[in-house]
Amino acid sequence: MAATIDDNGLVGINVRIWRYVAVLYPTPATNWRKFAFVLPVCGMNVMQFFYLLRMWGDLPAFILNLFFFAAIFNALMRTWLVIIKRHEFEAFLEQLHGLYQWIHECSGDEYSRAVLLQAEREAHRLAVCNLCASFLDIVGAVVSTLFKEERVHPFGVALPLLDMSRSPVYEVAYLLQLPTPLLLSALYMPFVSVFAGFALFGRAMLRIVVHKLSLIGGQGKDHRMLVDLISCIRFYTAVMGYVKNFNELVNLIVAVEAVIFGSIISTLLFCLNIITSPTQVISIVMYILTMLYVMYTYYNRANDLVIENSLVAQAVYNVPWYEGGIYFRKTLLVFLMQTQCPLEIRVGNVYPMTLAMFQSLLNASYSYFTMLRGVTNK
């Protein structure tokens, strides 16, 4: 069992990264690290914006660099969100760890521990894969520029009144971008993995509620059934509070990202129609798949909460109410009504994060792409 939140398999890897760079749990001795971690990337993002202005006449190059600008801006936005809402994130992590310990220590149920262990392993595997894939992807972008004939940087940057392709400016700018695989991986992927870990823990708790409800009945004692039902209600109430706090933490950022991702995907699809270089085609396809993967991770994990909550309602309905007394039946009926309220993460606190919503975003992106293609073909 995890003694601290850093050892928790659900979020431990990402919390340790954020703790090291002082995004979470800063101390007077480490507080400077978050500025040394974030501000250089902010500066690079500003330089990317100046580079975009220079690329305005070259549409394919503009769209490709717009993707890099938007991806790094999105990573910075996630990190600044965690820094600004640090106390809320730390309180939520403590809530997660408290529920995790309570399930391990007080439930005395091997099934519950097995479900938690499965969620931990899945979250840990996802976090490791995300970090490795992001690191290798950025390393490829950094190394690939060395084999090009013209002088280009891994991430296009520019400054007013300065030629970035002349020596020694080019070499200095290139050397300054060498740490980007580590910096951008630590900026971009931890938030995705933490989101998935939060959702996986919520899914695990709902599965435990379903299991506990399936054990009610068959004892022949109304008092025992009532005690078990009240225990399930208290557990489910704790899950409701957990999902509510989870939604308050992330609903705005996922709304902004839905707009950013949808817009970038539509422009990258449009870019596929106007470029002829096989290398650029492969790059754009990889960029689109990367964004789709991140979006799918969000919406698939959030969708799991909706599905598991519906199974809780079904489990309450299947409880043998006829074996209990009047008070038990009334309590069960109130609980059944409570489980009809959806437990879900909402995009901007408006639209539920489900796979249906994910499909709607893809449809909207494709619609914008067809509109752009139709305008340019006229």
Side-chain angles (χ1 to χ4, degrees):
M1 185 185 68
T4 65
I5 191 64
D6 291 35
D7 302 321
N8 193 304
L10 293 162
V11 294
I13 292 177
N14 308 288
V15 170
R16 287 196 295 271
I17 292 173
W18 279 343
R19 185 190 291 273
Y20 180 78
V21 296
V23 170
L24 290 180
Y25 306 106
T27 65
T30 62
N31 194 49
W32 62 272
R33 293 179 182 174
K34 63 185 172 189
F35 301 107
F37 175 60
V38 175
L39 291 182
V41 184
C42 290
M44 189 177 78
N45 203 224
V46 172
M47 294 172 70
Q48 285 181 293
F49 177 76
F50 287 122
Y51 187 77
L52 280 177
L53 297 179
R54 292 188 180 182
M55 293 292 104
W56 184 256
D58 186 354
L59 190 56
F62 178 83
I63 292 176
L64 287 173
N65 285 279
L66 179 63
F67 164 78
F68 288 120
F69 171 79
I72 294 177
F73 177 80
N74 184 33
L76 287 168
M77 185 173 58
R78 292 173 177 174
T79 306
W80 279 114
L81 172 75
V82 179
I83 292 173
I84 293 169
K85 302 182 72 171
R86 175 175 67 85
H87 297 293
E88 290 89 338
F89 270 90
E90 291 176 0
F92 186 73
L93 287 169
E94 292 305 314
Q95 180 186 11
L96 181 151
H97 190 58
L99 288 169
Y100 175 89
Q101 288 186 312
W102 178 79
I103 293 171
H104 264 283
E105 296 173 358
C106 303
S107 67
D109 186 352
E110 290 300 324
Y111 175 84
S112 301
R113 296 191 182 101
V115 169
L116 279 186
L117 181 60
Q118 179 187 2
E120 280 190 89
R121 288 175 176 172
E122 189 173 349
H124 183 270
R125 184 169 58 250
L126 182 67
V128 171
C129 290
N130 284 346
L131 287 172
C132 291
S134 176
F135 178 79
L136 293 175
D137 186 35
I138 301 172
V139 166
V142 171
V143 173
S144 64
T145 55
L146 296 174
F147 301 96
K148 294 183 179 180
E149 295 180 0
E150 66 276 11
R151 283 189 161 191
V152 292
H153 294 104
F155 303 97
V157 291
L159 285 173
L161 307 177
L162 192 63
D163 186 358
M164 301 298 293
S165 62
R166 294 183 61 183
S167 297
V169 177
Y170 171 79
E171 288 79 5
V172 171
Y174 195 96
L175 289 174
L176 290 175
Q177 290 191 11
L178 286 181
T180 52
L182 286 174
L183 286 175
L184 296 182
S185 297
L187 273 172
Y188 193 80
M189 278 305 178
F191 190 89
V192 179
S193 301
V194 163
F195 183 100
F198 289 165
L200 285 169
F201 184 59
R203 186 188 71 179
M205 289 193 292
L206 290 171
R207 287 181 175 177
I208 293 170
V209 173
V210 171
H211 174 69
K212 290 182 177 296
L213 286 169
S214 69
L215 299 178
I216 297 177
Q219 301 100 332
K221 295 182 179 180
D222 175 62
H223 176 70
R224 181 71 259 171
M225 292 176 64
L226 183 59
V227 169
D228 291 343
L229 178 61
I230 292 174
S231 175
C232 290
I233 292 173
R234 287 175 177 170
F235 193 3
Y236 184 75
T237 303
V239 178
M240 289 178 64
Y242 174 86
V243 175
K244 178 183 177 182
N245 293 336
F246 182 17
N247 180 64
E248 290 176 353
L249 277 180
V250 303
N251 69 82
L252 291 179
I253 189 71
V254 295
V256 175
E257 289 190 353
V259 176
I260 293 175
F261 285 8
S263 303
I264 295 300
I265 288 174
S266 62
T267 53
L268 288 176
L269 287 172
F270 173 72
C271 191
L272 283 175
N273 284 263
I274 59 177
I275 61 175
T276 57
S277 169
T279 304
Q280 287 186 328
V281 169
I282 294 173
S283 299
I284 291 175
V285 171
M286 290 180 61
Y287 300 152
I288 292 173
L289 291 177
T290 300
M291 303 197 80
L292 289 177
Y293 166 75
V294 173
M295 289 180 65
Y296 180 77
T297 300
Y298 278 153
Y299 287 84
N300 185 44
R301 297 308 174 190
N303 188 71
D304 287 343
L305 293 177
V306 178
I307 294 174
E308 293 299 331
N309 187 58
S310 66
L311 296 179
V312 172
Q314 183 177 339
V316 174
Y317 185 81
N318 291 332
V319 169
W321 56 269
Y322 45 83
E323 295 181 10
I326 296 299
Y327 186 72
F328 174 84
R329 297 178 186 181
K330 290 182 177 179
T331 305
L332 184 66
L333 182 60
V334 172
F335 187 28
L336 179 62
M337 294 172 63
Q338 186 183 34
T339 57
Q340 303 307 305
C341 298
L343 285 184
E344 56 194 16
I345 309 302
R346 290 182 169 268
V347 179
N349 239 2
V350 179
Y351 300 105
M353 286 189 74
T354 61
L355 290 180
M357 179 64 183
F358 175 68
Q359 183 181 0
S360 298
L361 287 174
L362 295 184
N363 292 339
S365 298
Y366 187 77
S367 297
Y368 286 123
F369 156 65
T370 55
M371 180 186 69
L372 287 172
R373 186 175 62 178
V375 169
T376 56
N377 289 339
K378 289 183 179 179

